[in-house]
Amino acid sequence: MSLKNIFLTLLIGCFPFIMFSGNGYDLWLRYDKITDVHLKQSYLNNLSSVYKFGASPSLDVATKELVTGFHGFFEAQISKAAKIEKNAIVLGTKENLPQELLSILNSDFEKINEEGYILKKVTYQGKKITIITAKTDVGIVYGTFRLLKEIQLHHEISALDIQDSPKIQKRVLNHWDNLDRTVERGYAGFSIWDWHHLPDLIKTEYIDYARANASIGINGTVLTNVNANALVLTEQYITKVKALADVFRPFGIQVYLTARFSAPMEIGGLKTADPLAPEVRAWWSKKTNEIYAEIPDFGGFVVKANSEGQPGPRNYDRSHVDGANMLADALAPHKGIVMWRAFVYSEENPDDRAKQAYSEFVPVDGDFRENVLLQVKNGAIDFQPREPFHPLFGAMPDTNIMMEFQITQEYLGFSSHLVFLPKMWEEVLNEDTFTHGENATVAKVIDGSLSNRKLTGMAGVANIGTEKNWTGHPFGQANWYGFGRLAWDPYLDSKTITKDWLQMTFTNDDGFVTPMAELMIDSREAVVNYMTPLGLHHIMDAGHHYGPGPWIKDMPRADWTSVYYHKADSLGIGFDRTVSGSDALSQYALQIQKKYDSPETIPQKYLLWFHHLPWNYKMENGQNLWINLASKYQEGVEEVEKMNTTWSKMKPFVDNERFNKVASLLKIQLKEAKWWRDACLLYFQQFSKMELPQFIPTPEHNLEYYQSLKSPYAPGIKPSWN
Amino acid sequence: MSLKNIFLTLLIGCFPFIMFSGNGYDLWLRYDKITDVHLKQSYLNNLSSVYKFGASPSLDVATKELVTGFHGFFEAQISKAAKIEKNAIVLGTKENLPQELLSILNSDFEKINEEGYILKKVTYQGKKITIITAKTDVGIVYGTFRLLKEIQLHHEISALDIQDSPKIQKRVLNHWDNLDRTVERGYAGFSIWDWHHLPDLIKTEYIDYARANASIGINGTVLTNVNANALVLTEQYITKVKALADVFRPFGIQVYLTARFSAPMEIGGLKTADPLAPEVRAWWSKKTNEIYAEIPDFGGFVVKANSEGQPGPRNYDRSHVDGANMLADALAPHKGIVMWRAFVYSEENPDDRAKQAYSEFVPVDGDFRENVLLQVKNGAIDFQPREPFHPLFGAMPDTNIMMEFQITQEYLGFSSHLVFLPKMWEEVLNEDTFTHGENATVAKVIDGSLSNRKLTGMAGVANIGTEKNWTGHPFGQANWYGFGRLAWDPYLDSKTITKDWLQMTFTNDDGFVTPMAELMIDSREAVVNYMTPLGLHHIMDAGHHYGPGPWIKDMPRADWTSVYYHKADSLGIGFDRTVSGSDALSQYALQIQKKYDSPETIPQKYLLWFHHLPWNYKMENGQNLWINLASKYQEGVEEVEKMNTTWSKMKPFVDNERFNKVASLLKIQLKEAKWWRDACLLYFQQFSKMELPQFIPTPEHNLEYYQSLKSPYAPGIKPSWN
């Protein structure tokens, strides 16, 4: 075989590796080979070697990532040089840079915060170099991932001049993972935390999880379920948690745990967990010290208290402030924080569930310690396909308020439906709370700028599990990715996120990126339409929340039923939350009240959230409510049909494994969209007593059939709950 | 860049792909690149293209596998030719071969059975070709994997002349997988069956699972737990099972389900499950017909009845024969079979548990239908590190007896310990039952040759889960592999299995294979020694069976405790199963009774299984029992220390990911081996009242400490059992 023939064989040989790596494990960090010869050369001209000022584990992971990226892009090694070469990549924190470089970068450093980075082409000692610098180690890691991203996006890198900083401080994933490895509301297999083998076995997955998070700026992970297990606070488990913390530290990721409020009794042998009892306060203080002895940068506690059966200060006639501040005091000496969830609703309180958190917390604004964040879900009910923003945003100017988004799709089709959630989160972040006049958006509450808060945060309930591709649905990865991007910058538009993610995860080919970005953006409205259009909400089947269940009633609590939320009857449909109803609307600013108070002026998307209206209510388009409702359901189904068609044309751009998987899942999504449409319309028709419009295809089954469907082993609920 | 430079860059670029693919997902089907130029050329000289006589899904999967293999070995494409070329690989079943080839292969076909294959270099139409042929489609698949294996082992292929056939008919994996995806006694994550997304989503894992099984001759899979759930027999699930059956069919793999005996009541609405009740018989017949309408090659049912709380015919005062035959009659018209488990022990019967299955089944020898296999565990207790063979083997000449091995390491260190199980299985298969004189081995019972049985089988309880590498421990793969090899040929020696597996899974380098084969072979005796030496058994911690628990007593049943089995007291230790004790020994042949009856003549490895002996009993080596016991525990620990040392030298041969994982797991194994030694010796010392021998290092903790250890979330048990 001639040299040329061997060369060709190798070329052929190498190529399929790219098309073969379709299991999705690499996420958006694929570092696909740069095949364009000119582009490749232009990059290689700018990336001769790596040089480091100083040394640290974070610098090591940054360097390793550059090696990995270089190998992927160019199938070659990048050398680690002993001195700065022409076109070198130079890494180092501010304190380790020589004076000459510092003076060049002086104004750049002014533009970044403690976690920000500078990525810049500069001339140093007569040589052009690419400098990645920051005030802290983790900034170097972020800057490194930014450089790699620029290459992934095929951007020009010969004149880089980037200064970027996160706008929110605590950017954390919440894992609702149990110690037995089940995951509450997990649809991507089971927990990636293999507690049984910790601390001795450090799985590659832990490192790759940290890489993925660091690449999008996530700097915290809550390892355990908010429905907490006190055992994780025992010595046996703290050792395991420490092992994970050690892995994550160089990537700038802190670990947090959920604190079960009754832990002092369950594992501490105390007779009470009263937050004002001295022995309880002493126990938490000692426990916290124990944790910090092992994990000096431990993040703190997340607490779900007095909510859905969890213990809390209310068990002792103490307030949420008493509970949160007690833990905050234990953590304060170590600079730890408490994330106290605002998702509370009383077992006795018959008031509209949408109102209760506001009623509970607004009166205590200003009473929480400085190291407490009140963690508020985006809406007042529970992670629905669409909710108005939570009225607590903007209503507690003297409290640190953080956002809780749900990345796992509990109410949005599990891991079978392609729904791009950043589009939804963007909608919430852009909403105006009118707290201090106009343009007081939720984003400004969250980043602290509106009320000059010092401690800020955003949490996302993770959609990560043991599936080979982490998230089950290949497009579930985009929601993890997008959460990180929005936690870094809550003003980012979701379209940018789609494009970046698509290019990094699939291909830079515009024939793929443009239609798929549109598909992703449209996917959110699709799911709203085929599940809960016009402001409907919480009409999923009970418990597991899989599939439609508008007929659900007779649960242990009225507000766990569907009929509580849609209130369909012969007179109409919808939840009257105006003054004639629950008056939840009064929790919003006057500007909003005024607009939402009338069904004529309220945005149609919130219509039935706030109003109970007759079936023949005439809407803007001249058609009645029933026709409009049916029309929205049909639109949703048709959008999913369109998604199927679009994807079918993407085969040339995608490896077989991911192409087939998405194609199968889109078929499931279409089947379930039709199921939703047919089941809901047949159910509501009982009340509307009107014909299905002609544009609705005849349902495949009757209402009894849909009501008879049972899914006892739908994922995401504890096996023992079945 | 010169051509040569690009070439070198590519070479460097390609190489790491091999070292990178260390997650173990590929199992023993890695098809690693052949780097030896001469060897490569010799193969390429024999493999010009692929030609097929006839067409079938099995031929398609065989061809696809050849393409995959060729790509891996040579980083090149093998062409599918329209006519037979020189040095072609030619595939086709007997019925599709032309007369000229048939006449060449006449005597070869006489050597194989229905599932066997011929892999032979022949001259056809003046051209040398490699023919892969068989009497049935699946034989082609087996022959194809054999050819690929020959290349993986770097064997010469220019004069192939292989005829091979399986010696056992039903070679099945038993998945103890629940519908909620938990796996009973599963230590490799959760179930790979994603029931929620079936039938619409066919995961790549299902195909790769089928490839792996077909490559070692496994031809059946029982999808569900023997502790069965009747729901899997409903229409909703049959559709899902059908989807899997469709995937597995081209690979020659039949699906089986576990039949919950009370299903006619639970999902059929009947008032009884009495196997003699006409409505029950009619229900099962109808249900079976329903299944076969969807899955024409459905394998049949596995049943665990009247065992550990499962319902069965005894609930209606009917016999196991009544139960098994009732299902057999329902399956017979479709050529389906029943695998009826012999693992039964009464809740009331106070007799030695080791005796009960024999007592129950021997009297009904000859009463089962021809399509019933009685599935017998290798030993009479429960998958211990070492057990004497089950006395049922050889005792029921007029019954189809199949073997049940446990691949998942319930009592052998879970997925953390490297234990090569084929070494243990070989020991059992080679045992002489003396049924018709000497050399009546268990293997001859199992392959039917001893009593001329027509239906034969071997089951292995799978160790497969959602772990990226399928089995958790990289060496757990060897047990899956070895099970398949022994099911194909129960006379195979385990050393051959280690070498084949090591070469296919890691490297052909002798510097790796020789020491590692030895390590694997020795690993089985190591675990016996550090857990249950000298015939001890079932002294693991209760429920989850993780770690030592010789102190376990006061369980709902005496035979779930440890003290029941070791009977340690001030007088001595061991279970007297001679005539002065439970007389379980009388269930074996006279030749065995004679030898085992005396502690002087019984093999030392079974000493305490059959005898209760004083602590100061003097053994062959002149030392007393206590010293010997301690010595064995110490030997076990030292063997694991040696395993650690051996592995530490293997770094040059193994990719980082697998090297590090095995290294970490061996450290866990050493830690746990010491835990076993120290906990057991401290516990037994209470009774022996003798000093620990000097060769035992001072235990790190006292007995109270070991007894205080709790593992509420040890894997492998249902979360709800915690």
Side-chain angles (χ1 to χ4, degrees), chain A residues 287-584:
Chain A
K287 178 54 68 184
T288 306
N289 294 345
E290 276 171 40
I291 296 172
Y292 278 92
E294 297 293 322
I295 309 164
D297 59 346
F298 179 67
F301 296 127
V302 174
V303 186
K304 174 178 180 178
N306 294 119
S307 168
E308 301 183 321
Q310 292 297 306
R314 288 286 190 216
N315 299 36
Y316 308 94
D317 282 327
R318 310 298 185 189
S319 71
H320 284 273
V321 172
D322 294 331
N325 287 354
M326 183 260 300
L327 292 172
D329 290 344
L331 289 158
H334 309 284
K335 304 198 192 307
I337 65 166
V338 175
M339 305 188 192
W340 193 269
R341 290 177 94 234
F343 182 63
V344 302
Y345 53 99
S346 163
E347 285 171 47
E348 297 93 32
N349 192 339
D351 203 3
D352 178 1
R353 176 166 145 189
K355 293 173 68 182
Q356 295 186 39
Y358 182 101
S359 307
E360 176 88 37
F361 287 102
V362 168
V364 296
D365 185 29
D367 293 351
F368 287 103
R369 296 279 188 273
E370 283 185 6
N371 60 335
V372 174
L373 274 160
L374 190 64
Q375 182 168 322
V376 182
K377 293 187 182 185
N378 57 280
I381 296 300
D382 196 11
F383 298 134
Q384 297 302 299
R386 171 168 280 135
E387 294 190 48
F389 74 88
H390 200 299
L392 276 176
F393 294 115
M396 296 183 72
D398 294 325
T399 303
N400 303 318
I401 298 276
M402 71 183 285
M403 174 65 79
E404 177 176 325
F405 285 133
Q406 192 183 44
I407 312 174
T408 188
Q409 294 171 227
E410 174 179 354
Y411 296 97
L412 287 116
F414 290 10
S415 61
S416 320
H417 292 208
L418 193 168
V419 183
F420 181 61
L421 298 176
K423 176 71 180 162
M424 168 165 85
W425 300 332
E426 176 186 46
E427 179 176 280
V428 174
L429 292 165
N430 288 343
E431 290 273 10
D432 199 334
T433 69
F434 295 98
T435 298
H436 305 303
E438 279 191 19
N439 203 16
T441 61
V442 172
K444 287 186 181 172
V445 176
I446 295 308
D447 76 0
S449 60
L450 194 64
S451 310
N452 196 27
R453 303 305 313 169
K454 295 281 180 294
L455 181 60
T456 59
M458 187 185 288
V461 182
N463 62 345
I464 296 164
T466 51
E467 286 284 332
K468 305 256 175 305
N469 70 356
W470 302 89
T471 57
H473 200 306
F475 279 75
Q477 298 179 355
N479 294 329
W480 177 8
Y481 177 84
F483 167 76
R485 295 292 303 273
L486 285 172
W488 182 278
D489 179 3
Y491 302 94
L492 194 64
D493 75 295
S494 61
K495 187 99 182 193
T496 301
I497 299 172
T498 62
K499 291 199 165 174
D500 285 355
W501 180 80
L502 285 165
Q503 289 178 250
M504 294 162 84
T505 309
F506 288 96
T507 171
N508 285 286
D509 196 314
D510 198 50
F512 178 82
V513 176
T514 299
M516 285 308 299
E518 189 184 320
L519 179 154
M520 289 173 74
I521 293 292
D522 292 347
S523 66
R524 189 278 174 121
E525 204 63 32
V527 73
V528 171
N529 285 336
Y530 65 70
M531 284 188 181
T532 53
L534 298 177
L536 288 175
H537 51 288
H538 212 299
I539 57 173
M540 294 72 188
D541 202 354
H544 49 62
H545 301 150
Y546 172 60
W551 46 79
I552 298 295
K553 54 182 180 179
D554 301 327
M555 295 284 289
R557 299 175 56 112
D559 54 6
W560 287 359
T561 70
S562 298
V563 296
Y564 173 87
Y565 292 103
H566 64 66
K567 301 196 188 297
D569 57 22
S570 61
L571 301 177
I573 181 170
F575 197 131
D576 184 359
R577 290 192 167 102
T578 67
V579 67
S580 60
S582 78
D583 202 20

Side-chain angles (χ1 to χ4, degrees), chain A residues 39 43 149-158 500 503:
Chain A
L39 189 64
Y43 286 143
K149 178 182 154 191
E150 293 299 304
I151 300 173
Q152 286 179 285
L153 298 180
H154 292 186
H155 289 170
E156 177 68 40
I157 62 163
S158 59
D500 285 355
Q503 289 178 250

Side-chain angles (χ1 to χ4, degrees), chain B residues 503-516:
Chain B
Q503 289 180 249
M504 293 161 84
T505 309
F506 288 96
T507 170
N508 284 284
D509 196 312
D510 199 48
F512 178 81
V513 176
T514 299
M516 286 307 299

Side-chain angles (χ1 to χ4, degrees), chain B residues 220-236:
Chain B
T221 177
V222 187
L223 300 174
T224 46
N225 191 354
V226 289
N227 291 321
N229 187 323
L231 278 186
V232 81
L233 302 176
T234 59
E235 188 187 343
Q236 183 186 12

Side-chain angles (χ1 to χ4, degrees), chain A residues 57-352:
Chain A
S58 291
L59 280 179
D60 291 344
V61 303
T63 308
K64 198 167 174 194
E65 198 68 32
L66 287 170
V67 170
T68 305
F70 206 83
H71 180 269
F73 296 134
F74 313 117
E75 293 184 338
Q77 301 291 330
I78 189 163
S79 64
K80 296 169 207 170
K83 62 182 185 63
I84 294 181
E85 296 172 348
K86 201 177 120 188
N87 291 315
I89 306 169
V90 175
L91 313 177
T93 53
K94 188 178 179 188
E95 61 181 6
N96 289 314
L97 293 190
Q99 194 53 48
E100 184 186 339
L101 267 172
L102 278 180
S103 59
I104 297 172
L105 298 167
N106 224 358
S107 65
D108 297 288
F109 277 112
E110 282 168 22
K111 295 181 193 159
I112 64 169
N113 63 27
E114 287 302 296
E115 288 186 292
Y117 61 85
I118 299 162
L119 171 61
K120 193 167 182 171
K121 197 86 187 180
V122 297
T123 302
Y124 172 65
Q125 295 182 335
K127 295 171 188 135
K128 287 213 163 185
I129 61 167
T130 302
I131 178 93
I132 304 176
T133 186
K135 293 175 182 167
T136 58
D137 267 343
V138 65
I140 305 283
V141 175
Y142 294 151
T144 300
F145 278 110
R146 178 59 183 268
L147 172 61
L148 290 164
K149 178 182 154 191
E150 293 299 304
I151 300 173
Q152 286 179 285
L153 298 180
H154 292 186
H155 289 170
E156 177 68 40
I157 62 163
S158 59
L160 288 168
D161 186 7
I162 298 171
Q163 302 78 24
D164 197 14
S165 301
K167 296 191 170 69
I168 290 174
Q169 290 170 309
K170 305 294 178 182
R171 307 176 296 279
V172 299
L173 287 181
N174 281 197
H175 290 268
W176 288 356
D177 293 17
N178 300 309
L179 299 185
D180 60 16
R181 295 190 73 179
T182 57
V183 180
E184 190 168 331
R185 311 307 176 183
Y187 312 106
F190 291 78
S191 175
I192 58 172
W193 315 129
D194 185 352
W195 293 110
H196 180 71
H197 286 109
L198 282 169
D200 299 298
L201 179 66
I202 300 301
K203 290 183 162 177
T204 306
E205 290 94 309
Y206 303 151
I207 298 162
D208 290 327
Y209 166 87
R211 290 174 56 228
N213 280 324
S215 77
I216 50 177
I218 287 171
N219 68 358
T221 176
V222 187
L223 300 174
T224 47
N225 192 353
V226 288
N227 291 321
N229 187 324
L231 280 186
V232 81
L233 302 176
T234 60
E235 188 188 343
Q236 182 186 14
Y237 277 93
I238 291 171
T239 310
K240 296 168 187 278
V241 173
K242 170 191 160 51
L244 289 175
D246 290 342
V247 172
F248 299 157
R249 187 170 297 112
F251 296 91
I253 297 167
Q254 289 179 287
V255 299
Y256 299 77
L257 294 173
T258 46
R260 185 160 163 90
F261 205 79
S262 48
M265 300 162 73
E266 291 166 13
I267 61 168
L270 300 190
K271 293 219 160 47
T272 178
D274 180 348
L276 299 192
E279 69 271 28
V280 172
R281 300 178 68 84
W283 186 88
W284 279 110
S285 182
K286 186 162 167 287
K287 178 54 68 184
T288 306
N289 294 345
E290 276 171 40
I291 296 172
Y292 278 92
E294 297 293 322
I295 309 164
D297 59 346
F298 179 67
F301 296 127
V302 174
V303 186
K304 174 178 180 178
N306 294 119
S307 168
E308 301 183 321
Q310 292 297 306
R314 288 286 190 216
N315 299 36
Y316 308 94
D317 282 327
R318 310 298 185 189
S319 71
H320 284 273
V321 172
D322 294 331
N325 287 354
M326 183 260 300
L327 292 172
D329 290 344
L331 289 158
H334 309 284
K335 304 198 192 307
I337 65 166
V338 175
M339 305 188 192
W340 193 269
R341 290 177 94 234
F343 182 63
V344 302
Y345 53 99
S346 163
E347 285 171 47
E348 297 93 32
N349 192 339
D351 203 3
D352 178 1

